Amino acid sequence: MENECCCCSKRKKERSPEEYKCLMNRLCRIEGQIKGIKNMLENDAYCPDILIQVSAVNAALNSFNKVLLANHLKSCVIEDIRKGNDQVVDELVETLQKLMK
């Protein structure tokens, strides 16, 4: 039997327009940063300059993950725990372990 949380079904999540817009804006900025790195490489930029930009992309992705995780905790995890579905905690632990590799 599949355990479904309050905000998702079949491993999909309905996001508010605000949450969606925030996450998409972050991804669009990251996409722009990636294109900038590609241009730097194509234009023979100095290696340390590229590395600094790659570091900025990593930081932006980490920030995206923090926002997404916070939204997940505030919606799916809390509601599932309130409904008595403690299995969501195991899923959260597994996800955090993967994020911390």
Side-chain angles (χ1 to χ4, degrees):
M1 182 171 126
E2 260 184 59
N3 284 322
E4 293 181 2
C5 71
C6 65
C7 59
C8 54
S9 61
K10 298 187 184 183
R11 303 208 41 101
K12 291 186 178 185
K13 180 180 190 284
E14 293 181 25
R15 292 179 175 82
S16 71
E18 297 81 17
E19 179 183 359
Y20 177 82
K21 183 178 178 182
C22 173
L23 292 170
M24 285 302 291
N25 285 342
R26 286 175 179 274
L27 287 176
C28 287
R29 283 193 300 271
I30 293 166
E31 182 178 35
Q33 289 176 296
I34 296 292
K35 288 179 182 178
I37 293 169
K38 182 180 175 190
N39 288 336
M40 290 176 78
L41 187 61
E42 290 170 346
N43 293 316
D44 299 321
Y46 189 52
C47 296
D49 294 338
I50 296 172
L51 290 167
I52 289 168
Q53 292 306 309
V54 170
S55 178
V57 169
N58 283 332
L61 284 168
N62 284 334
S63 180
F64 176 87
N65 275 349
K66 288 175 189 174
V67 171
L68 188 60
L69 180 60
N71 290 340
H72 180 62
L73 288 169
K74 292 175 183 177
S75 58
C76 295
V77 174
I78 287 175
E79 286 300 316
D80 272 0
I81 289 171
R82 286 180 181 156
K83 290 180 177 180
N85 180 8
D86 293 338
Q87 189 176 14
V88 71
V89 175
D90 294 333
E91 179 186 58
L92 179 61
V93 168
E94 183 180 326
T95 299
L96 290 172
Q97 288 172 340
K98 289 177 181 177
L99 287 174
M100 292 180 180
K101 282 187 178 182

